[in-house]
Amino acid sequence: MKISVIGTGYVGLVSGVGLAHHGHKVICVDIDEEKVNKINDSEPPIYEEGLEEMLEEVVSDGKLSATTDTLQSILDSEVTFICVGTPSKRDGSVDTSAVENAAKDISQALKEKDDYHVVCVKSTVTPGTTEGKVLPILEKSGKRVGDDFGLGMNPEFLREGVALNDFLDPDRIVIGGWDEKSRNKLEKIHEDFGAPKIMTDLRTAEMIKYASNALLATKISYANEISKICEKKGIDVYEVMDGVGLDHRINRDFLNAGCGFGGSCFPKDVKALRALAKEVGVTTRILDAVLSVNDEQPLHTIELLKEELGELKGKKIAVLGLTFKGGTDDVRETRALPMIEKLLKEGAEVVGYDPKGMENFSELIDEVEFDKGIKDALDSAEACIIQNDWSEFRSLESEDFDGMKNKVVVDARRILDPKDLSEEITYIGIGKGPVD
Ligand code: UGA
């Protein structure tokens, strides 16, 4: 099938490449000419595991190309996926202006198109948006939904870093449609995927995405709350969750205690769901708690540090990991920011290190020094906090901490095993009672 994809962020590009790999002819559209040129040169503008190789494969097979010409891409395709960003507004609700702009462009193209065309929203939008905001814009073309064009909503469940794998091997595919005809077209696109397909209406599809992300965020905050009780009682929360997670009704994923969830999705989506609830007069005790536990968690790591070091004034503290998780340069909603702000407030001298995130992080805050390597960052530090789970941090060994003045290690992602570390190191693992 001929498909156009508007927006070449990690969702749009990964979906485009994945669909092209499945044999479709894909045109990726972006306003950024530099990105478009890179894609046509088989150079992904973002890093995702396996993306470069697969992009090269689909570009050289003539299955994928990129353009800045939205109009032509729609005239040349049968289905258009909208994959643009939907950031948070100040009140937590979703800014859908990029989705609406994409719909306006599509509407212009529909005016000139005689063939039936399906428009499908992949961007995360709150229930009612596709029908309430996208549809009226498309109908301004003078064309009618159902007769002249179809409308769908197909949420993505892609984790940054492993997005291509998540796209090619999904747990389920959710296809919301205005009518049977729209759904059938979208189902056909996915016919080679083995995953179960949920065929539903537009607003249910939109809600499935929010309810999924909010539940995953709830699991994390739940694990973080249990971890605090475990710390007080000398119990290891990771062992507890291993036991809990074996129950197939619960499952072990996303029960890792740490310094909270960040990224471009969970914080934004939970806030958006809460804003939507408020709009419709529903109280959200669970969602409120999920967010407040998450706000406290990075500060809790500093409390743990202070229990060991006392006052932090004038002390050099190294923060290892500045991005919201390992494997990405993305610093959106990273827990490193509230953590470092608190350290600075306490008068500490903060040195940060991240394999890929230092440039982006330096735009968020001024008072942090950055070091080129772990060794420099740790040199003469009184303590370090491991904030994210880069593989480089997972392989840290006792000798790596040799240059520290005081060998206090707060493992806020539980990626080191204290049994492998020398006795000289004071290891404080989040959600773990004192080491015996
Ligand atoms: C998340 C979801 O996992 C995807 O399914 C979804 O499609 C995506 O949001 C989205 O809405 O677009 P992502 O934000 O890339 O993906 O990152 P995750 O791997 O889910 O991690 C989110 C945050 O939770 C990270 O800060 C991570 O460190 C934290 N986390 C995750 C924990 O603290 N504990 C866990 O057990 C798991």
Side-chain angles (χ1 to χ4, degrees), residues 156-158 160 209 213 254 256 262 265 324-325 413:
E156 52 82 18
F157 303 98
L158 313 176
E160 251 182 86
K209 167 71 188 213
N213 271 6
F254 283 68
N256 293 322
C265 307
F324 84 95
K325 63 177 181 180
R413 293 287 175 190

Side-chain angles (χ1 to χ4, degrees), residues 113-301:
K113 203 169 173 182
D114 294 327
D115 301 335
Y116 179 78
H117 192 93
V118 173
V119 180
C120 182
V121 177
K122 214 181 223 318
S123 305
T124 301
V125 290
T126 46
T129 306
T130 303
E131 210 174 315
K133 287 189 177 168
V134 176
L135 177 58
I137 296 173
L138 296 176
E139 288 202 323
K140 280 205 177 123
S141 62
K143 301 286 169 74
R144 288 289 147 257
V145 68
D147 299 330
D148 307 314
F149 69 92
L151 188 59
M153 202 287 146
N154 167 228
E156 52 82 18
F157 303 98
L158 313 176
R159 288 163 299 164
E160 251 182 86
V162 287
L164 189 60
N165 182 63
D166 283 350
F167 185 85
L168 297 172
D169 187 18
D171 287 339
R172 78 304 208 183
I173 295 169
V174 176
I175 298 176
W178 167 264
D179 55 9
E180 208 57 33
K181 197 172 167 191
S182 316
R183 277 192 289 268
N184 287 344
K185 190 93 172 164
L186 293 169
E187 189 181 18
K188 183 114 186 75
I189 289 180
H190 296 95
E191 68 184 356
D192 288 348
F193 289 74
K197 297 184 183 76
I198 315 288
M199 309 303 283
T200 184
D201 57 39
L202 296 167
R203 50 184 70 198
T204 306
E206 290 165 327
M207 192 60 170
I208 288 173
K209 167 71 188 213
Y210 278 97
S212 300
N213 271 6
L215 181 57
L216 291 169
T218 304
K219 285 184 86 173
I220 298 170
S221 278
Y222 174 76
N224 282 332
E225 188 154 296
I226 297 294
S227 85
K228 284 189 183 165
I229 309 172
C230 288
E231 279 165 12
K232 296 285 183 205
K233 297 299 287 179
I235 300 165
D236 182 350
V237 72
Y238 273 63
E239 228 183 298
V240 170
M241 291 308 168
D242 286 345
V244 170
L246 280 172
D247 186 326
H248 75 277
R249 295 169 302 175
I250 299 175
N251 128 5
R252 176 64 179 85
D253 294 346
F254 283 68
L255 287 174
N256 293 322
C259 48
F261 55 80
S264 63
C265 307
F266 287 170
K268 168 178 87 100
D269 292 351
V270 179
K271 284 179 195 152
L273 191 54
R274 191 169 66 161
L276 176 74
K278 200 170 167 194
E279 210 181 290
V280 293
V282 173
T283 315
T284 52
R285 291 186 192 88
I286 293 176
L287 301 181
D288 295 348
V290 168
L291 289 168
S292 74
V293 169
N294 200 51
D295 287 343
E296 280 165 23
Q297 206 59 17
L299 312 180
H300 176 63
T301 55

Side-chain angles (χ1 to χ4, degrees), residues 331-349:
V331 295
R332 283 176 288 179
E333 296 281 342
T334 171
R335 302 293 83 197
L337 186 62
M339 189 185 277
I340 289 177
E341 281 172 343
K342 174 76 175 159
L343 286 170
L344 291 169
K345 212 167 155 204
E346 297 272 339
E349 227 180 87

